[in-house]
């Protein structure tokens, strides 16, 4: 009986230890994800501004935007893998991560629209880029509390 009770106590201690730092990990994940979202949005916007001012060539903008989109896709895959686990036991944490992923989708749409504009130079594509940029910013500011 003593072995059984000791075993239960050990199991409980292992579970408590396994949860140690979870709150800090979630805060770090949310903070770094929010910063990445904001910074990626800024990088794409700065590339657009530099292109319009003829500081960057089309090739430079394409390289920058493709790198940003590739980075977003990598992180989104990691978020999807995390959501598939039971690590995020609080539904609010899962909701935030899904919203972060959705906001990244908007930044990707902004980046792809910029690439279309760089290729075509058309006013219509410039308008689509601005629409995507505005939609991305609206979600970023809501999600990160900039409203």
């Amino acid at each position: 009986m003593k072995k059984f009770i000791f075993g239960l106590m050990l199991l409980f201690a292992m579970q408590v230890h396994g949860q140690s730092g979870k709150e800090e990990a979630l805060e770090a994940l949310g903070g770094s994800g929010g910063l990445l979202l904001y910074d990626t949005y800024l990088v794409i916007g700065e590339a657009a501004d530099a292109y319009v001012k003829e500081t960057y060539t089309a090739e430079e903008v394409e390289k920058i935007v493709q790198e940003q989109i590739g980075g977003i896709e990598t992180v989104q895959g990691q978020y999807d893998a995390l959501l598939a686990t039971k690590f995020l036991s609080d539904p609010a944490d899962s909701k935030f991560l899904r919203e972060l992923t959705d906001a990244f989708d908007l930044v990707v749409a902004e980046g792809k629209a910029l690439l279309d504009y760089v290729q075509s130079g058309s006013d219509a594509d410039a308008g689509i880029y601005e629409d995507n940029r505005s939609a991305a910013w609206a979600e970023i500011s809501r999600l990160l509390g900039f409203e």
Side-chain angles (χ1 to χ4, degrees):
M1 183 66 146
K2 288 182 182 179
K3 286 183 182 180
F4 177 73
I5 292 173
F6 179 73
L8 284 177
M9 289 174 52
L10 183 61
L11 181 63
F12 178 74
M14 287 171 43
Q15 287 177 336
V16 169
H17 180 69
Q19 295 297 313
S20 177
K22 183 175 180 179
E23 191 64 34
E24 292 81 1
L26 292 173
E27 287 180 22
L29 177 65
S32 60
L35 181 61
L36 178 63
L37 177 64
Y38 180 73
D39 285 353
T40 304
Y41 171 83
L42 289 178
V43 168
I44 291 172
E46 289 172 359
D49 292 344
Y51 179 73
V52 170
K53 292 179 183 175
E54 299 180 358
T55 304
Y56 286 168
T57 65
E59 293 79 23
E60 289 170 317
V61 171
E62 289 170 2
K63 182 178 184 228
I64 291 167
V65 172
Q66 290 295 356
E67 287 173 350
Q68 296 301 306
I69 290 172
I72 288 171
E73 290 171 347
T74 297
V75 170
Q76 284 181 308
Q78 294 166 337
Y79 287 170
D80 290 342
L82 180 58
L83 285 166
T85 71
K86 297 200 184 312
F87 183 76
L88 300 176
S89 53
D90 185 340
D93 294 333
S94 296
K95 180 179 183 254
F96 178 78
L97 201 56
R98 282 190 195 90
E99 289 176 337
L100 197 58
T101 299
D102 292 344
F104 274 121
D105 286 339
L106 294 171
V107 174
V108 167
E110 173 195 3
K112 288 181 178 180
L114 176 58
L115 294 176
D116 290 344
Y117 169 69
V118 166
Q119 289 298 314
S120 72
S122 77
D123 290 341
D125 283 337
I128 293 169
Y129 164 74
E130 277 300 322
D131 290 346
N132 281 293
R133 185 175 182 281
S134 295
W137 179 248
E139 183 59 14
I140 290 167
S141 61
R142 183 197 69 77
L143 193 59
L144 301 183
F146 294 157
E147 297 176 338

